[in-house]
């Protein structure tokens, strides 16, 4: 307990002197790093444009109201496509995530030295590439459309689902697995009766959670040509049809709120 | 052997179904099948175009062996460094700004009007994808990293503020009350009663958000908000798959390095 004497009175401090200096040193370093980085950002910024921003914002705000409700009839199809991209993409991802998670979990992987690092690499690489970049790639490869969106969402979500799932598998109760194995069950039966029932709630929770995120992500994939509500959004922005833009944004907010509500309800029902 | 046992039929154990009510089980199955039929029925896929694209896909995959780091190296380096600067600035500013918002959105710290205001702000900033925010900020602030930084700051506040508020609501009230009972003022109460309790988890989350911000900074460039995204977009549009592969590998490598170092930092702090 660092206590210093000031004359006769004892004063308590949270840290002793050395820790205090280390903390100050780290803060100084962080501040210097921040200053250095912000200098670079500011060098590449055109400040007159930035200072002009409030006027721009007001101008845009005025042009965006009222939303053009007559446009809503053409939005149902893209919205349905967005929903499909998120749902089918999530379905692909969870199906592919199961074997990868099985290989990545320390307690179920066939080989710690070979298979596990490969599975971990797959998880990290699909996770670190944003679905928009996946879509960008897939659009150049298989052409614009909903299929590119589905695959982009699927590929992006594999890593996320597999990571959470393998953590759930690593946390299971080994006694149950042991009990099933002791009855003479084969490897497949051990997985089906010892492991699956234990991770099933987590698995369902992860799928719904990711579906919710994917609804949000699939709203923008159209910006690079992968179908969904992003296509009309992009078209409206490039043609400066701001009243249509505001309507599309309202539709996106509504869908995000609904999907969040659905996912919360389903997860409550499971857990 | 007693005859009574032999007379009973052999009992077979079946795994209990996940959903107990049979009718609900059937309803869900039929609903899922109907949805899948509708989804596949209405999804238009140009299989001819997909078929045509397959050799291009193969070319893209082969571009990873080996990727071309050299031809566009100066552009790649510029874009990467810009992404990194943006990430550092946005994470720092975002976390500093999310502290007051997070405090305001915690029920046990803030009065009701402040609470609802902050919660509303957090919900708003979280309901839009970063890219949509970036489009608007590019319109406001012009092309370049500044728009990207503002985008990431807003996204960081939405994420970090919400988690901070939830963490503050979950603290042990006994410790906070003990500090208050010594006659501490409001700032002292926050500093000594609440901050030490939320600090370890929030530090981990700060590192995680840094990681997310870096990944996001790689995409905001697609709509003109600075960073490596613009370089990547150009590489794809020119079908320079080997340069694109190099960029993707650098992103994956950096994200992996961050993940390892964040684990290391967290252990060191604890």
């Amino acid at each position: 307990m660092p206590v210093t004497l000031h004359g006769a009175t004892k004063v308590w401090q949270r840290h002793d002197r050395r820790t205090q200096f280390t903390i100050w040193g780290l803060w100084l370093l962080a501040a210097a790093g921040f200053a250095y980085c912000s200098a670079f950002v500011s060098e590449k910024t055109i400040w007159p444009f930035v200072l002009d921003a409030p006027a721009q914002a007001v101008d845009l705000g005025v042009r965006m109201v009222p939303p053009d409700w007559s446009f809503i009839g053409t939005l149902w199809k893209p919205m349905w496509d967005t929903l499909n991209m998120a749902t089918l993409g999530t379905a692909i991802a969870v199906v592919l995530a199961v074997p990868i998670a099985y290989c990545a979990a320390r307690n179920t992987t066939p080989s710690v030295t070979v298979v596990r690092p490969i599975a971990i690499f797959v998880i990290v690489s699909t996770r670190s590439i944003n679905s928009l970049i996946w879509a960008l790639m897939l659009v150049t490869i298989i052409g614009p459309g909903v299929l590119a969106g589905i695959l982009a969402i699927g590929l992006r979500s594999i890593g996320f689902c597999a990571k959470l799932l393998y953590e759930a598998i690593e946390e299971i109760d080994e006694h149950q697995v042991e009990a099933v194995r002791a009855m003479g069950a084969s490897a497949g039966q051990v997985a089906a009766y010892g492991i699956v029932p234990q991770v099933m709630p987590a698995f369902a929770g992860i799928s719904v959670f990711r579906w919710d995120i994917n609804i949000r992500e699939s709203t923008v994939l159209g910006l690079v040509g992968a179908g969904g509500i992003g296509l009309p959004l992009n078209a409206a922005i490039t043609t400066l049809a701001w009243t249509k833009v505001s309507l599309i944004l309202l539709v996106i907010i509504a869908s995000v709120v609904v999907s969040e509500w659905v996912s919360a309800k389903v997860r409550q029902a499971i857990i | 052997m007693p005859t009574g046992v032999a007379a009973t039929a052999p009992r077979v154990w079946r795994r209990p179904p996940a959903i107990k009510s049979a009718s609900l089980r059937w309803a869900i199955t039929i609903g899922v099948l109907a949805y899948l039929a509708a989804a596949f029925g209405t999804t238009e896929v140009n299989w001819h175009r997909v078929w045509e694209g397959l050799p291009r896909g193969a070319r893209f995959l082969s571009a990873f062996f080996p990727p071309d780091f050299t031809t566009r190296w100066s552009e790649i380096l510029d874009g990467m460094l810009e992404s990194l600067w943006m990430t550092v600035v946005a994470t720092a500013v975002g976390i500093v700004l999310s502290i007051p918002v997070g405090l305001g959105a915690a029920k046990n710290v803030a009065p009701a009007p402040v609470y609802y205001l902050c919660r509303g702000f957090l919900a708003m900033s979280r309901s839009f994808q970063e890219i949509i925010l970036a489009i608007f900020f590019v319109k406001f602030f012009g092309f370049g990293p500044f728009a990207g930084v503002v985008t990431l700051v807003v996204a960081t506040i939405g994420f970090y503020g919400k988690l901070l508020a939830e963490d503050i609501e979950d603290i042990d009230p006994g410790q906070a009350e003990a500090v208050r009972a010594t006659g501490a003022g409001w700032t002292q109460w926050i500093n000594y009663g609440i901050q030490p309790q939320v600090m370890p988890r929030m530090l981990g989350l700060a590192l995680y958000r840094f990681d997310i911000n870096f990944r996001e900074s790689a995409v905001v460039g697609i709509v003109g908000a600075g960073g490596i995204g613009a370089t990547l977009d150009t590489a794809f549009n020119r079908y320079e798959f080997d340069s694109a592969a190099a960029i993707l590998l650098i992103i994956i490598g950096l994200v992996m390095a961050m993940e390892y170092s964040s684990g290391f930092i967290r252990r060191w702090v604890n």
Side-chain angles (χ1 to χ4, degrees), chain A residues 183-196:
Chain A
M183 289 170 57
S186 67
Q189 284 172 324
V190 169
Y193 293 92
I195 299 170
V196 169

Side-chain angles (χ1 to χ4, degrees), chain B residues 23-109:
Chain B
S23 52
L24 182 64
R25 211 155 60 222
W26 277 106
I28 289 178
T29 315
I30 292 172
V32 168
L33 289 179
Y35 167 73
L36 285 180
F40 282 114
T42 53
T43 303
E44 290 146 24
V45 178
N46 185 350
W47 290 110
H48 183 68
R49 175 67 180 80
V50 174
W51 182 248
E52 235 172 44
L54 287 183
R56 206 177 283 165
R59 233 182 69 215
F60 177 61
L61 277 184
S62 67
F64 277 91
F65 311 100
D68 179 7
F69 288 96
T70 44
T71 320
R72 301 261 166 224
W73 179 244
S74 64
E75 283 97 335
I76 296 177
L77 188 69
D78 263 7
M80 273 299 162
L81 289 179
E82 198 172 287
S83 267
L84 271 178
W85 309 145
M86 280 164 59
T87 310
V88 172
V89 174
T91 312
V93 175
I95 286 175
V96 168
L97 289 180
S98 64
I99 289 170
V101 180
L103 279 172
K107 215 168 202 159
N108 51 351
V109 175

